[in-house]
Amino acid sequence: MIRSSTAMGFSGTDHMKIVSGDAGYVLQDVPHLSDFIPDLPTYPNPLQHNAAYSVVKQYFVNVDDTVPQKIVVHKNSPRGTHFRRAGPRQKVYFDSDDVLACIVTCGGLCPGLNTVIREIVCGLYHMYGVSRILGIEGGYRGFYSRNTTPLTPKIVNDIHKRGGTILGTSRGGSDTSKIVDSIQDRGINQVYIIGGDGTQKGASVIFEEIRRRGLKVAVAGIPKTIDNDIAVIDKSFGFDTAVEEAQRAINAAHVEAESIENGVGVVKLMGRYSGFIAMYATLASRDVDCCLIPESPFYLEGKGGLFEYIEKRLKENGHMVLVLAEGAGQELMAESMRAVSHEDASGNKLLLDVGLWISQKIKDHFTERNKMVINLKYIDPTYMIRAIPSNASDNVYCTLLAQSAVHGAMAGYTGFTVGLVNGRHTYIPFYRVTETQNQVVITDRMWARLLSSTNQPSFLSSKDIMESERKEEEKK
Ligand SMILES: Nc1ncnc2c1ncn2[C@@H]1O[C@H](COP(=O)(O)OP(=O)(O)O)[C@@H](O)[C@H]1O
Ligand SMILES: O=P(O)(O)OC[C@H]1O[C@](O)(COP(=O)(O)O)[C@@H](O)[C@@H]1O
Ligand SMILES: [Mg+2]
């Protein structure tokens, strides 16, 4: 039995809605329009008359269905945190003719953005009969500085075959009250926000302001991050595509390196704070001798250092390939360059180019010491990877995310991000995806698999291991 408990009150940005049950069951629920607007009318879900869906047994999701965050459990361990299962509900809180939806894309590009836009438009239109959908151009600031563009299934028909976002995007410029004024003035009542961690923080404050004003407007986030750095969810869309495309750069580096004497191929991949793309691209390739990520500190000189390892690999194998995430070695580099730190328009730290820096360091080391002649080739495929359309599996994933968002908003849920948790689509409250970042845990099995596949040094002292374990403990 589920006992509705404690923190149903909403306060400031801590709008937590928590339901607890027997055996340590906790549901971190998402807000609903009826939480702050009384006596809202409901309507039967139009899908029940849809020829395709009406024949599906149990098509509508049971209102009590929830998905556990942890699926590995022990006999006596508490059941732990759960999220509301995504999907169509029997009752909806919007009459389709009254819906005016809008879609905005914010932050950096990511393969699959256009697919999500397409499937929100087609989902609203074909499943719910909603035909008034606006595109907000150029990210958050487009709400108040640009005209809107109408979106129909015809207009978005083949956009999933193109990279980028047809709506344009931007960093910075998220003026919450101007955005909500624009939503209110235009009569928009469903807002679909596609973007990364920064965007979801923006979506959360937009939702807060909408709730404060008591507007019947559903706010749904669709998490976008090529870096896979969004917490809670299994994986972000575009990540698979990025790992696949990164193989082309790694292959090129490998071909170059093995064709010349003492060839060293260096490839820099995306990953500001999280090295998932570098880690998975390395594991997939098998041509990589060393992978460096932000989560795992490393050093260059001396015993167990990178230079010693490169020399060893060149002597053993005649060539080597190094893959690094853009956020790797930032502290090491800042120390050696005494660099001043800068930020982009969204407040993200602007990184120094670790690829160029490390390439120069490697060249200097081998030429200055007159150790051996090396031939180093540096490849930075960042924007070539980011700009491609999503692959087949990401296309399917984007479709399901978009449809989950549409079902959630139509059912009156708001202030949520859609996400895959243990293979099931869920609605996650904003605060859970914005409070921490998803990072590679260097004391987990996956990083151990990588170390054993490349045979690179771990560069870790026992102090580093303890520090990593402490950080993980803090997150729990
Ligand atoms: N803490 C925040 N509060 C409100 N808006 C934010 C916040 N952080 C970022 N944003 C806004 O979200 C948008 C995208 O953020 P950015 O960090 O550039 O990309 P991403 O969403 O991909 O992480 C920008 O318009 C930015 O102003
Ligand atoms: O050149 P830009 O647009 O600032 O983007 C660079 C950043 O965008 C990313 O690809 C993704 O970052 P966001 O998720 O914050 O958009 C990072 O890996 C990279 O540091
Ligand atoms: Mg970000």
Side-chain angles (χ1 to χ4, degrees):
M1 188 189 67
I2 297 172
R3 288 188 307 270
S4 183
S5 86
T6 52
M8 290 287 284
F10 298 96
S11 65
T13 47
D14 287 325
H15 50 275
M16 286 153 97
K17 198 172 158 189
I18 296 175
V19 179
S20 53
D22 292 340
Y25 171 96
V26 176
L27 165 64
Q28 292 192 331
D29 205 358
V30 293
H32 192 274
L33 292 171
S34 59
D35 294 340
F36 57 92
I37 309 175
D39 307 321
L40 280 174
T42 60
Y43 309 87
N45 193 324
L47 277 170
Q48 70 191 46
H49 306 296
N50 181 309
Y53 299 107
S54 58
V55 293
V56 181
K57 213 167 133 197
Q58 266 266 288
Y59 185 68
F60 295 114
V61 168
N62 187 310
V63 281
D64 285 337
D65 282 359
T66 61
V67 178
Q69 186 175 10
K70 271 194 186 163
I71 47 166
V72 178
V73 288
H74 304 134
K75 202 167 89 188
N76 298 320
S77 60
R79 291 174 63 200
T81 301
H82 292 62
F83 299 108
R84 191 167 279 285
R85 184 179 174 195
R89 269 38 187 188
Q90 203 104 36
K91 279 188 310 185
V92 293
Y93 278 72
F94 289 93
D95 179 344
S96 302
D97 292 339
D98 293 343
V99 174
L100 175 56
C102 76
I103 308 175
V104 64
T105 51
C106 311
L109 292 184
C110 175
L113 281 166
N114 280 335
T115 314
V116 177
I117 297 170
R118 182 189 192 280
E119 298 308 324
I120 293 173
V121 174
C122 293
L124 278 167
Y125 191 93
H126 295 303
M127 296 194 294
Y128 289 97
V130 171
S131 55
R132 296 189 305 145
I133 308 163
L134 301 174
I136 306 295
E137 292 187 344
Y140 276 138
R141 64 167 67 93
F143 271 105
Y144 49 85
S145 65
R146 303 269 281 269
N147 289 326
T148 57
T149 175
L151 297 173
T152 61
K154 193 158 179 235
I155 291 170
V156 298
N157 184 42
D158 62 357
I159 63 169
H160 60 296
K161 295 176 187 160
R162 282 183 249 160
T165 154
I166 56 155
L167 297 175
T169 183
S170 65
R171 296 195 190 273
S174 56
D175 185 321
T176 308
S177 58
K178 282 197 201 166
I179 292 170
V180 180
D181 285 349
S182 159
I183 291 170
Q184 201 169 359
D185 293 348
R186 293 177 202 272
I188 292 167
N189 50 19
Q190 290 188 4
V191 184
Y192 295 92
I193 301 178
I194 314 169
D197 53 345
T199 307
Q200 302 301 317
K201 284 179 193 154
S204 171
V205 285
I206 290 169
F207 158 69
E208 292 291 342
E209 180 58 18
I210 284 173
R211 186 174 57 80
R212 199 187 63 76
R213 296 190 194 182
L215 306 176
K216 188 191 170 190
V217 178
V219 181
I222 297 97
K224 169 244 51 159
T225 152
I226 200 164
D227 295 353
N228 198 32
D229 57 5
I230 292 189
V232 184
I233 62 175
D234 293 353
K235 185 176 70 170
S236 49
F237 74 80
F239 177 71
D240 251 16
T241 308
V243 171
E244 200 173 295
E245 189 65 10
Q247 301 304 301
R248 284 154 45 91
I250 296 173
N251 281 344
H254 185 235
V255 169
E256 286 285 346
E258 69 174 354
S259 308
I260 30 172
E261 198 186 345
N262 290 332
V264 179
V266 177
V267 179
K268 184 182 75 171
L269 297 174
M270 282 152 297
R272 233 191 224 126
Y273 307 108
S274 311
F276 288 102
I277 298 181
M279 177 167 82
Y280 276 81
T282 297
L283 277 166
S285 154
R286 310 282 158 165
D287 286 333
V288 181
D289 299 279
C290 186
C291 172
L292 302 173
I293 59 170
E295 297 87 336
S296 180
F298 64 92
Y299 54 96
L300 302 176
E301 311 264 356
K303 195 153 177 42
L306 181 65
F307 293 152
E308 184 192 75
Y309 178 63
I310 295 176
E311 192 175 330
K312 176 172 160 273
R313 286 304 289 151
L314 291 178
K315 283 186 179 150
E316 281 169 2
N317 209 27
H319 67 274
M320 74 102 61
V321 175
L322 173 66
V323 164
L324 36 103
E326 61 178 331
Q330 289 293 315
E331 281 172 21
L332 195 63
M333 203 180 356
E335 268 169 35
S336 91
M337 292 166 70
R338 297 224 192 101
V340 188
S341 132
H342 294 285
E343 289 179 350
D344 70 13
S346 293
N348 299 305
K349 197 172 156 208
L350 280 176
L351 302 180
L352 301 163
D353 190 330
V354 66
L356 279 178
W357 176 79
I358 217 161
S359 298
Q360 197 54 50
K361 282 280 176 192
I362 296 170
K363 283 185 203 161
D364 291 348
H365 173 81
F366 285 97
T367 42
E368 273 169 24
R369 309 263 168 103
N370 218 359
K371 281 186 167 255
M372 43 169 90
V373 177
I374 61 151
N375 284 293
L376 185 144
K377 301 283 188 278
Y378 171 45
I379 300 177
D380 178 356
T382 301
Y383 296 114
M384 296 193 69
I385 292 177
R386 248 183 29 168
I388 62 168
S390 44
N391 67 12
S393 97
D394 271 327
N395 266 339
V396 176
Y397 185 24
C398 289
T399 305
L400 297 190
L401 286 171
Q403 291 190 357
S404 292
V406 167
H407 292 312
M410 288 300 298
Y413 292 111
T414 179
F416 68 86
T417 297
V418 287
L420 201 61
V421 175
N422 296 317
R424 293 296 186 142
H425 286 266
T426 65
Y427 300 134
I428 306 164
F430 281 139
Y431 68 89
R432 281 303 315 272
V433 289
T434 55
E435 66 191 359
T436 52
Q437 262 177 339
N438 188 27
Q439 287 197 303
V440 174
V441 179
I442 53 170
T443 48
D444 260 10
R445 280 203 192 88
M446 210 58 192
W447 187 241
R449 288 182 186 114
L450 180 134
L451 294 179
S452 77
S453 107
T454 58
N455 265 320
Q456 70 190 67
S458 81
F459 303 108
L460 286 178
S461 63
S462 52
K463 192 172 135 250
D464 294 325
I465 295 172
M466 274 160 62
E467 180 63 11
S468 162
E469 282 173 349
R470 189 188 57 74
K471 277 192 192 156
E472 273 314 294
E473 235 7 80
E474 269 175 18
K475 279 188 193 169
K476 282 180 188 161

